[in-house]
Amino acid sequence: MEQNIQEVLLTEEQIRQRIAELGEVLTEEYKDKNPVIVGVLKGVVVFYADMIRQVKVPCQMDFMCISSYVGTSSTGKMVVKQDISADIQGRHVLILEDIFDTGNSLDFTYKHLMERNPASLKICTLLDKPARRNPNITLKPDYVGFSIPDAFVVGYGLDYNEYYRNLPYIGILKPEAYN
Ligand code: 5GP
Ligand code: MG
C-alpha cells in the first residue's frame, strides 16, 4: 500500500486537529437541534467515526449509499443503492461526505434528501477539490475540512478500486498505481 503513495497530503495529526476544530463549530451549530447526521457510504466511514465523536450534542446517525464512480473518473450517472432509514421531515439534517469533487454526487444526495422537507440541510465535507467543480452545480459545502489541489487521493476512507481505505492518512496515489 504505502509504496504506491507519492506524497502524504494530510497527516493523521492534521486531520485530527481539523476535525476537533470543526467539532466545536458543529457542536455550537447543532446544540438544541437534535440533528440527523447522514453519512454517504462508503468513503465517509472513517471521517464519520472521528467527526461524530466531536459533535457533542444529542444526534441520530444514518447512512445512505449512492453509486456512480468507477475507477478514477466519474460516469455522471447516479443511483441510490441504500437509502436512509430515518424520517427526516422537519428535522435538522447534516450530510457528512468524504470529498466534494465535481459536486455531482452531493448535488444528487442533496436533492434526494431535500424532497423529504427537512427543517434544514447542510453539508460538511472533509475534502474539497474546487478545481474540478462541474460549472452547472451551484451547491456549496457549508463546512470544509481541507481544500485540496486537483490530485487523486486515497486513505482515511477514500479508495482506489476499494483499496487504501484503511490508510490512516490522506495521500496522493502514484499515477503508475492506477495505470
Ligand atoms: P463528485 O461527484 O463530487 O465528483 O465525486 C464525489 C465522489 O467521487 C466521492 O464521494 C469519492 O468517492 C469520489 N472521488 C472524487 N475525488 C476523489 C479522489 O481524489 N480520491 C478518491 N479516492 N475518490 C474520489
Ligand atoms: Mg467513493
Side-chain angles (χ1 to χ4, degrees), residues 3-21:
Q3 72 275 11
N4 290 333
I5 301 301
Q6 176 174 295
E7 181 195 334
V8 176
L9 193 64
L10 297 165
T11 64
E12 288 184 72
E13 182 56 22
Q14 284 175 301
I15 298 169
R16 193 195 61 72
Q17 275 188 21
R18 184 67 187 126
I19 287 177
E21 289 169 9

Side-chain angles (χ1 to χ4, degrees), residues 127-148:
L127 305 176
D128 184 18
K129 247 197 242 177
R132 287 189 21 106
R133 198 76 85 244
N134 175 343
N136 300 321
I137 288 176
T138 54
L139 185 73
K140 288 187 178 60
D142 300 279
Y143 307 97
V144 173
F146 301 92
S147 199
I148 64 165

Side-chain angles (χ1 to χ4, degrees), residues 49-147:
D50 285 344
M51 188 71 253
I52 198 136
R53 284 176 288 173
Q54 302 304 320
V55 185
K56 294 172 181 167
V57 302
C59 63
Q60 291 175 318
M61 295 169 56
D62 217 319
F63 297 93
M64 59 184 287
C65 185
I66 64 168
S67 147
S68 81
Y69 215 74
V70 179
T72 58
S73 67
S74 188
T75 62
K77 263 196 78 181
M78 237 101 40
V79 286
V80 177
K81 288 215 299 196
Q82 184 199 310
D83 211 340
I84 55 167
S85 53
D87 176 4
I88 58 166
Q89 174 153 14
R91 300 288 303 273
H92 293 280
V93 179
L94 175 66
I95 303 171
L96 291 191
E97 246 288 30
D98 51 358
I99 186 164
F100 199 104
D101 185 24
T102 63
N104 294 330
S105 312
L106 267 168
D107 192 62
F108 176 82
T109 304
Y110 188 88
K111 286 175 179 153
H112 177 75
L113 295 177
M114 265 320 255
E115 282 173 9
R116 288 145 192 209
N117 302 313
S120 69
L121 184 57
K122 289 194 172 191
I123 296 169
C124 173
T125 182
L126 176 63
L127 305 176
D128 184 18
K129 247 197 242 177
R132 287 189 21 106
R133 198 76 85 244
N134 175 343
N136 300 321
I137 288 176
T138 54
L139 185 73
K140 288 187 178 60
D142 300 279
Y143 307 97
V144 173
F146 301 92
S147 199

